[in-house]
Amino acid sequence: MTEGRAPGGPAGPSGAASARPALGTPCWVSLMVHGLTATQEFYGELFGWEFQAGPRQLGPYVRALLDGREVAGIGRLPVDRHLPVAWTPYLASDHVDATAATVRLCGGTVAVGPLDAGDAGRLAIGSDPSGAVFGVWQAAAHPGTAVTGVPGTPAWNELVTYEASGLAKFYESVFGYGRQSVEPADADQVTLLVDGRPVAGVRGMGATLPRDRGPHWMTYFEVTDADEALARIVGLGGHVLRPVRDGAHGRVADVADPEGARFAVVQRPR
Protein backbone atom coordinates (compact mmCIF):
# COMPACT_ATOMS: atom_id res chain seq x y z
CA MET A 1 0.00 0.00 0.00
CA THR A 2 1.24 3.46 -0.82
CA GLU A 3 2.54 5.09 2.33
CA GLY A 4 1.94 8.73 1.42
CA ARG A 5 -1.61 9.40 2.60
CA ALA A 6 -4.28 7.39 4.33
CA PRO A 7 -6.34 5.36 1.89
CA GLY A 8 -10.01 6.01 1.42
CA GLY A 9 -12.89 4.77 -0.67
CA PRO A 10 -15.28 6.75 -2.86
CA ALA A 11 -16.59 8.58 0.21
CA GLY A 12 -13.20 9.05 1.87
CA PRO A 13 -12.14 7.14 4.97
CA SER A 14 -15.63 6.00 5.95
CA GLY A 15 -19.33 6.34 5.26
CA ALA A 16 -21.63 5.82 2.32
CA ALA A 17 -20.37 6.40 -1.19
CA SER A 18 -21.45 9.52 -3.05
CA ALA A 19 -24.29 9.25 -5.57
CA ARG A 20 -22.07 10.11 -8.56
CA PRO A 21 -18.35 9.55 -7.94
CA ALA A 22 -16.02 12.17 -9.42
CA LEU A 23 -14.06 11.33 -12.58
CA GLY A 24 -11.34 8.77 -11.86
CA THR A 25 -12.59 7.74 -8.42
CA PRO A 26 -12.41 3.96 -7.86
CA CYS A 27 -16.13 3.24 -7.46
CA TRP A 28 -16.48 -0.55 -7.80
CA VAL A 29 -14.46 -3.77 -7.81
CA SER A 30 -15.38 -6.90 -9.68
CA LEU A 31 -14.03 -10.45 -9.90
CA MET A 32 -14.52 -12.95 -12.74
CA VAL A 33 -14.06 -16.61 -11.76
CA HIS A 34 -14.68 -20.16 -12.97
CA GLY A 35 -16.56 -21.44 -9.91
CA LEU A 36 -19.13 -18.81 -8.99
CA THR A 37 -20.82 -20.76 -6.19
CA ALA A 38 -17.55 -21.78 -4.48
CA THR A 39 -16.25 -18.20 -4.74
CA GLN A 40 -19.41 -16.84 -3.13
CA GLU A 41 -18.95 -19.29 -0.28
CA PHE A 42 -15.31 -18.21 0.22
CA TYR A 43 -15.97 -14.48 0.35
CA GLY A 44 -19.23 -14.92 2.21
CA GLU A 45 -17.40 -16.73 5.00
CA LEU A 46 -14.44 -14.33 4.92
CA PHE A 47 -16.22 -10.97 4.79
CA GLY A 48 -19.79 -11.79 5.77
CA TRP A 49 -21.09 -10.96 2.31
CA GLU A 50 -24.50 -11.95 1.03
CA PHE A 51 -25.36 -11.98 -2.66
CA GLN A 52 -28.05 -10.96 -5.10
CA ALA A 53 -28.32 -11.37 -8.86
CA GLY A 54 -26.77 -8.63 -11.00
CA PRO A 55 -27.65 -7.36 -14.50
CA ARG A 56 -28.54 -10.15 -16.94
CA GLN A 57 -26.42 -8.46 -19.62
CA LEU A 58 -23.31 -9.46 -17.65
CA GLY A 59 -24.16 -13.17 -17.72
CA PRO A 60 -23.92 -15.19 -14.47
CA TYR A 61 -23.10 -12.28 -12.13
CA VAL A 62 -23.91 -11.41 -8.53
CA ARG A 63 -23.48 -8.34 -6.38
CA ALA A 64 -21.98 -8.81 -2.94
CA LEU A 65 -23.87 -7.11 -0.10
CA LEU A 66 -22.75 -6.15 3.38
CA ASP A 67 -25.68 -5.36 5.68
CA GLY A 68 -27.80 -4.96 2.57
CA ARG A 69 -25.47 -2.49 0.84
CA GLU A 70 -23.51 -3.28 -2.33
CA VAL A 71 -19.73 -3.57 -2.03
CA ALA A 72 -18.45 -5.66 -4.99
CA GLY A 73 -19.39 -7.88 -7.92
CA ILE A 74 -18.50 -11.46 -8.85
CA GLY A 75 -19.18 -13.05 -12.24
CA ARG A 76 -18.50 -16.36 -13.96
CA LEU A 77 -16.04 -16.61 -16.83
CA PRO A 78 -17.20 -18.38 -19.98
CA VAL A 79 -16.05 -22.00 -20.01
CA ASP A 80 -13.97 -21.51 -23.15
CA ARG A 81 -12.17 -18.38 -21.91
CA HIS A 82 -8.90 -19.07 -20.11
CA LEU A 83 -8.40 -15.61 -18.63
CA PRO A 84 -6.57 -14.64 -15.44
CA VAL A 85 -8.79 -14.65 -12.37
CA ALA A 86 -8.27 -11.21 -10.84
CA TRP A 87 -10.00 -8.42 -8.97
CA THR A 88 -10.57 -5.43 -11.26
CA PRO A 89 -11.19 -1.86 -10.04
CA TYR A 90 -13.64 0.34 -11.94
CA LEU A 91 -12.81 4.03 -12.28
CA ALA A 92 -15.65 6.51 -12.55
CA SER A 93 -16.45 8.37 -15.76
CA ASP A 94 -19.20 10.77 -16.80
CA HIS A 95 -19.00 9.49 -20.39
CA VAL A 96 -17.52 6.03 -20.77
CA ASP A 97 -17.37 6.19 -24.57
CA ALA A 98 -15.24 9.33 -24.47
CA THR A 99 -13.03 7.85 -21.76
CA ALA A 100 -12.55 4.66 -23.80
CA ALA A 101 -11.48 6.74 -26.78
CA THR A 102 -8.98 8.61 -24.59
CA VAL A 103 -7.60 5.30 -23.28
CA ARG A 104 -6.81 4.28 -26.86
CA LEU A 105 -5.33 7.67 -27.75
CA CYS A 106 -3.00 7.46 -24.74
CA GLY A 107 -1.63 4.03 -25.63
CA GLY A 108 -4.01 1.75 -23.76
CA THR A 109 -6.45 -0.81 -25.14
CA VAL A 110 -10.18 -1.43 -24.69
CA ALA A 111 -11.09 -5.12 -24.72
CA VAL A 112 -14.74 -5.01 -23.64
CA GLY A 113 -17.36 -2.40 -24.46
CA PRO A 114 -18.39 0.24 -24.02
CA LEU A 115 -21.67 -1.55 -23.32
CA ASP A 116 -24.77 -1.08 -21.21
CA ALA A 117 -25.34 -3.06 -18.02
CA GLY A 118 -29.12 -2.75 -18.02
CA ASP A 119 -30.25 0.38 -16.21
CA ALA A 120 -27.31 0.13 -13.81
CA GLY A 121 -24.87 2.03 -16.01
CA ARG A 122 -22.43 1.70 -18.87
CA LEU A 123 -19.00 0.11 -18.72
CA ALA A 124 -15.80 -0.66 -20.53
CA ILE A 125 -12.83 -2.84 -19.59
CA GLY A 126 -9.38 -1.94 -20.83
CA SER A 127 -5.71 -2.05 -20.01
CA ASP A 128 -3.00 0.55 -19.65
CA PRO A 129 0.20 0.53 -21.76
CA SER A 130 1.82 -1.93 -19.32
CA GLY A 131 -1.06 -4.41 -19.65
CA ALA A 132 -2.70 -3.82 -16.26
CA VAL A 133 -6.47 -4.31 -16.55
CA PHE A 134 -9.02 -1.83 -15.17
CA GLY A 135 -12.66 -0.99 -15.73
CA VAL A 136 -14.46 2.27 -16.46
CA TRP A 137 -17.94 2.82 -15.03
CA GLN A 138 -20.53 5.42 -16.02
CA ALA A 139 -23.14 5.28 -13.28
CA ALA A 140 -26.89 5.35 -13.86
CA ALA A 141 -29.07 3.49 -11.35
CA HIS A 142 -25.99 1.85 -9.79
CA PRO A 143 -23.40 4.41 -8.58
CA GLY A 144 -21.00 1.77 -7.26
CA THR A 145 -19.79 0.64 -3.86
CA ALA A 146 -22.38 1.82 -1.34
CA VAL A 147 -20.31 1.71 1.86
CA THR A 148 -16.63 2.04 2.77
CA GLY A 149 -14.53 2.27 5.90
CA VAL A 150 -15.84 -0.85 7.66
CA PRO A 151 -14.59 -4.46 7.63
CA GLY A 152 -15.50 -6.32 4.46
CA THR A 153 -15.34 -3.28 2.16
CA PRO A 154 -12.73 -2.12 -0.36
CA ALA A 155 -10.27 0.21 1.35
CA TRP A 156 -7.75 1.06 -1.38
CA ASN A 157 -6.61 0.20 -4.90
CA GLU A 158 -2.98 0.17 -5.95
CA LEU A 159 -1.38 -0.40 -9.34
CA VAL A 160 1.70 -2.60 -8.99
CA THR A 161 4.03 -2.19 -11.95
CA TYR A 162 7.66 -1.95 -13.03
CA GLU A 163 8.01 1.84 -12.93
CA ALA A 164 5.49 4.18 -11.31
CA SER A 165 6.05 7.70 -12.58
CA GLY A 166 5.77 7.08 -16.31
CA LEU A 167 2.70 4.88 -16.03
CA ALA A 168 1.02 7.35 -13.67
CA LYS A 169 1.12 9.85 -16.56
CA PHE A 170 -1.22 7.59 -18.55
CA TYR A 171 -3.84 7.67 -15.79
CA GLU A 172 -3.36 11.40 -15.29
CA SER A 173 -4.00 11.96 -19.01
CA VAL A 174 -7.10 9.75 -19.10
CA PHE A 175 -8.73 10.69 -15.78
CA GLY A 176 -7.20 14.06 -14.91
CA TYR A 177 -5.63 12.91 -11.65
CA GLY A 178 -3.41 15.08 -9.54
CA ARG A 179 -0.22 13.51 -8.22
CA GLN A 180 1.54 13.31 -4.90
CA SER A 181 4.95 11.72 -4.49
CA VAL A 182 5.52 9.39 -1.59
CA GLU A 183 8.22 9.63 1.04
CA PRO A 184 11.03 8.66 1.07
CA ALA A 185 11.99 10.51 -2.07
CA ASP A 186 13.75 7.48 -3.60
CA ALA A 187 10.62 5.32 -3.29
CA ASP A 188 9.10 4.66 -6.70
CA GLN A 189 5.55 5.37 -5.57
CA VAL A 190 2.88 7.87 -6.57
CA THR A 191 -0.48 8.70 -5.01
CA LEU A 192 -3.24 9.65 -7.46
CA LEU A 193 -5.52 12.49 -6.34
CA VAL A 194 -9.06 13.57 -7.21
CA ASP A 195 -9.83 17.11 -6.05
CA GLY A 196 -6.78 16.89 -3.80
CA ARG A 197 -8.00 13.67 -2.17
CA PRO A 198 -5.97 10.41 -2.44
CA VAL A 199 -7.92 7.75 -4.30
CA ALA A 200 -5.34 5.22 -5.55
CA GLY A 201 -1.64 4.44 -5.63
CA VAL A 202 0.96 3.40 -8.19
CA ARG A 203 3.96 1.40 -6.92
CA GLY A 204 6.98 0.57 -9.05
CA MET A 205 8.73 -2.69 -8.16
CA GLY A 206 11.31 -2.87 -10.95
CA ALA A 207 12.82 -6.31 -11.42
CA THR A 208 11.16 -7.58 -8.22
CA LEU A 209 7.69 -7.54 -9.83
CA PRO A 210 6.57 -11.20 -10.04
CA ARG A 211 7.01 -12.37 -13.64
CA ASP A 212 4.05 -14.71 -13.40
CA ARG A 213 1.76 -11.79 -12.67
CA GLY A 214 3.11 -8.73 -14.48
CA PRO A 215 1.68 -5.24 -13.87
CA HIS A 216 -1.70 -5.43 -12.15
CA TRP A 217 -4.13 -3.62 -9.89
CA MET A 218 -4.40 -4.82 -6.29
CA THR A 219 -7.53 -4.26 -4.20
CA TYR A 220 -7.23 -3.93 -0.42
CA PHE A 221 -10.16 -5.04 1.74
CA GLU A 222 -10.54 -3.82 5.30
CA VAL A 223 -10.62 -6.40 8.11
CA THR A 224 -10.96 -6.18 11.87
CA ASP A 225 -7.92 -8.35 12.62
CA ALA A 226 -5.33 -9.13 9.92
CA ASP A 227 -3.91 -12.22 11.67
CA GLU A 228 -7.36 -13.69 12.21
CA ALA A 229 -8.26 -12.94 8.58
CA LEU A 230 -5.18 -14.83 7.33
CA ALA A 231 -6.04 -17.85 9.43
CA ARG A 232 -9.57 -17.79 8.05
CA ILE A 233 -8.33 -17.42 4.46
CA VAL A 234 -6.08 -20.47 4.79
CA GLY A 235 -8.87 -22.44 6.44
CA LEU A 236 -11.17 -21.62 3.53
CA GLY A 237 -8.64 -22.84 0.95
CA GLY A 238 -6.91 -19.54 0.14
CA HIS A 239 -3.21 -18.73 0.29
CA VAL A 240 -0.91 -16.24 2.01
CA LEU A 241 1.41 -14.60 -0.52
CA ARG A 242 3.06 -12.11 1.83
CA PRO A 243 2.59 -12.32 5.61
CA VAL A 244 1.22 -9.57 7.80
CA ARG A 245 3.51 -6.57 8.12
CA ASP A 246 3.11 -3.25 9.89
CA GLY A 247 2.93 -0.03 7.90
CA ALA A 248 2.01 3.58 8.40
CA HIS A 249 -1.68 2.84 7.80
CA GLY A 250 -2.07 -0.44 9.66
CA ARG A 251 -1.32 -4.13 9.31
CA VAL A 252 -1.34 -5.45 5.74
CA ALA A 253 -1.00 -8.88 4.11
CA ASP A 254 -1.15 -10.09 0.48
CA VAL A 255 -3.30 -13.15 -0.13
CA ALA A 256 -5.10 -15.14 -2.83
CA ASP A 257 -8.46 -16.88 -2.93
CA PRO A 258 -8.80 -20.59 -3.89
CA GLU A 259 -8.87 -19.74 -7.63
CA GLY A 260 -5.76 -17.59 -7.33
CA ALA A 261 -7.27 -14.09 -7.39
CA ARG A 262 -4.88 -11.85 -5.49
CA PHE A 263 -5.96 -9.21 -3.04
CA ALA A 264 -4.77 -7.66 0.21
CA VAL A 265 -6.29 -7.32 3.66
CA VAL A 266 -5.64 -4.28 5.81
CA GLN A 267 -6.30 -3.77 9.51
CA ARG A 268 -6.35 -0.05 10.15
CA PRO A 269 -5.15 1.48 13.44
CA ARG A 270 -7.97 1.83 15.95
Side-chain angles (χ1 to χ4, degrees):
M1 179 180 295
T2 299
E3 299 296 332
R5 294 278 297 276
S14 63
S18 59
R20 288 294 296 259
L23 176 65
T25 303
C27 59
W28 188 245
V29 290
S30 188
L31 173 65
M32 300 298 290
V33 298
H34 300 288
L36 184 56
T37 299
T39 300
Q40 289 177 247
E41 293 173 353
F42 174 84
Y43 287 101
E45 289 291 332
L46 178 60
F47 293 136
W49 290 350
E50 297 178 338
F51 301 91
Q52 67 177 19
R56 288 178 296 176
Q57 292 85 346
L58 301 180
Y61 187 86
V62 295
R63 289 176 179 160
L65 309 178
L66 188 65
D67 296 328
R69 292 182 287 184
E70 297 171 342
V71 295
I74 303 175
R76 189 171 67 208
L77 287 165
V79 176
D80 59 345
R81 297 292 296 275
H82 300 287
L83 298 173
V85 176
W87 281 100
T88 301
Y90 282 73
L91 310 176
S93 170
D94 294 329
H95 196 302
V96 69
D97 294 77
T99 300
T102 305
V103 167
R104 294 188 182 99
L105 286 172
C106 293
T109 61
V110 177
V112 177
L115 57 85
D116 290 323
D119 62 355
R122 189 164 171 80
L123 67 87
I125 301 175
S127 58
D128 63 31
S130 77
V133 176
F134 63 94
V136 182
W137 180 250
Q138 178 184 334
H142 173 62
T145 302
V147 60
T148 62
V150 297
T153 63
W156 186 247
N157 288 281
E158 183 176 70
L159 173 59
V160 184
T161 186
Y162 293 106
E163 188 271 327
S165 182
L167 196 56
K169 293 179 181 178
F170 166 83
Y171 289 92
E172 292 166 5
S173 297
V174 174
F175 295 103
Y177 291 123
R179 176 194 294 219
Q180 178 182 356
S181 298
V182 175
E183 297 295 337
D186 60 350
D188 188 19
Q189 298 183 27
V190 174
T191 300
L192 301 176
L193 311 176
V194 170
D195 297 329
R197 177 172 58 90
V199 297
V202 184
R203 174 162 53 99
M205 296 185 63
T208 64
L209 183 72
R211 293 190 176 184
D212 65 334
R213 191 67 182 87
H216 61 280
W217 280 91
M218 175 82 83
T219 297
Y220 291 70
F221 291 95
E222 185 160 346
V223 296
T224 302
D225 185 304
D227 296 284
E228 188 276 335
L230 260 60
R232 185 177 298 183
I233 287 165
V234 172
L236 292 169
H239 309 280
V240 177
L241 304 177
R242 189 178 177 192
V244 176
R245 67 246 183 221
D246 292 317
H249 305 302
R251 311 196 70 217
V252 181
D254 299 346
V255 298
D257 68 20
E259 284 205 24
R262 302 186 182 198
F263 61 100
V265 294
V266 55
Q267 174 189 338
R268 302 203 198 196
R270 300 297 180 186

